């Protein structure tokens, strides 16, 4: 009887060690070699893994597959930002964005097809949740972008889980991907440069904190009162601001490291003078920095953008009160490349995107 094939990208290092031991009688050393070939050298052809014995290679090659990323579409903004539409299993489509910044690029990946959280200012939220992505489907976005970046002679230095979906609603798929991204014989990224953004699933935040998975955390606060937050983020009914910020306080951050608080400024709704002052109060004593994200006007979701000057006023006010604040202006506006505003459907042809754009890259603040 032939066994089903296994998708290599769905294995964490420790899971691979266990499988090799159980099924192949191979040691941990083989897992190291495989991780090095695949993630460090980009080699997926067992023939080339010459430091593994021929017999074992033969058996491994009958068992493992390495699905390739399928780029369905790619758009390039005049500002250098690139948006990729990936086809994953079953013809589902998800987006990933290479966000061009001054000195580096940040890769924003999707964790789900759609999103269950239904935030009223977010295009992905209007799709509902179709399903979570597997670890392989997440890593295929990374692999596809790495491969395509060769055409541009660039690369990314940071990865943020801020594309479609709520990453902590796909806890296993996402944390396993994070483990491989930050494994020194995997992609070898620093945990400081991998950020998971959540709308505030408190139990999963606590689980992540206790798991020992080193990763940076961003939390979408987006309001300063429970009333307003519940209005725009239904998740707040379940885990209100107080519980959310308590979980932020308990999240282990390394020295000189902070949790990012994201604040989408919805003109006239959550960006009043009183909000600005309340935000300072809420942030007091927390190990955080704030990313202000001006809402983009043309979402057609019934919200307004704040005036540019007002966004600067907020930033100044926060900074003056001892809270580090950054502004995330939109990138790739001409190609609708906004993380958090991405929407696709599962038909073969992507729906023409009339979405506004705005990006949030959650990059680590300039020191
Ligand atoms: N689901 C996760 C991560 C994806 S959303 C989360 O909500 O945190 C990434 C960011 O984009 C979040 O901070 C979200 O608040 C923000 N966002 C979503 N829609 C937006 C919009 N229309 N304008 C500005 N930011 C938006
Ligand atoms: Fe989902 Fe984040 Fe959009 Fe809310 S903002 S609907 S959690 S993707």
């Amino acid at each position: 009887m032939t066994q089903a094939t296994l998708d290599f990208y769905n294995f964490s290092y420790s899971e691979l060690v266990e499988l090799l031991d159980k099924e192949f009688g191979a040691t941990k050393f083989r897992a190291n070699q495989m991780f090095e070939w695949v993630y460090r050298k980009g080699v997926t052809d067992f023939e080339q893994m010459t430091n593994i014995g021929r017999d074992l290679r033969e058996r491994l090659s009958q068992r493992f597959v390495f699905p390739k990323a399928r780029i369905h579409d790619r758009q390039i903004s005049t500002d250098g930002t690139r948006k990729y539409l990936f086809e994953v299993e079953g013809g589902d489509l998800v987006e990933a964005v290479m966000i061009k910044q001054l000195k580096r690029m940040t890769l924003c990946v999707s964790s789900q097809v759609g999103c269950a959280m239904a935030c009223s200012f977010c295009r992905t939220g209007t799709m509902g949740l179709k399903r979570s992505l597997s670890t392989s489907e997440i890593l295929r976005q990374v692999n596809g972008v790495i491969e395509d970046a060769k055409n541009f002679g660039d690369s990314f230095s940071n990865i943020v889980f801020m594309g479609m979906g709520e990453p902590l609603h796909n806890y296993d798929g996402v944390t396993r991907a994070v483990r491989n991204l930050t494994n020194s014989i995997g992609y070898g990224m620093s945990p400081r440069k991998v950020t998971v953004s959540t709308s505030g699933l408190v139990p999963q935040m606590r689980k992540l904190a206790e798991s020992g998975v080193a990763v940076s955390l961003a939390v979408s606060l987006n309001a300063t009162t429970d009333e307003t937050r519940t209005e725009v983020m239904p998740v707040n009914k379940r885990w209100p601001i107080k519980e959310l910020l308590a979980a932020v306080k308990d999240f282990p951050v390394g020295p000189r490291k902070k949790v990012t608080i994201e604040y989408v400024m919805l003109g006239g709704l959550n960006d009043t003078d009183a909000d600005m002052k309340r935000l300072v109060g809420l942030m007091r004593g927390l190990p955080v920095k704030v990313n202000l994200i001006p809402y983009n006007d043309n979402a057609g979701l019934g919200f307004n953008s704040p005036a540019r000057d007002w966004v600067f006023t907020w930033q100044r006010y926060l900074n003056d009160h001892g809270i580090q604040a950054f502004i995330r202006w939109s990138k790739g506006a001409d190609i609708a490349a906004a993380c958090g505003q991405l929407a696709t459907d599962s038909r073969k042809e992507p729906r023409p995107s009339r979405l506004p754009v705005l990006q949030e890259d959650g990059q680590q603040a300039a020191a």
Side-chain angles (χ1 to χ4, degrees), residues 115-119 121-125 163-166 199 220 233 340:
C115 184
M117 309 316 293
C119 303
F121 49 82
C122 172
R123 278 313 287 228
T124 310
M164 295 164 62
E166 164 52 53
S199 58
S220 301
M233 300 182 74

Side-chain angles (χ1 to χ4, degrees), residues 292-316:
L292 298 171
I293 314 174
Y295 175 75
N296 215 304
D297 205 9
N298 43 351
L301 296 173
F303 297 95
N304 300 311
S305 297
R308 227 180 141 76
D309 282 356
W310 188 233
V311 181
F312 284 120
T313 302
W314 267 60
Q315 183 186 29
R316 242 188 344 263

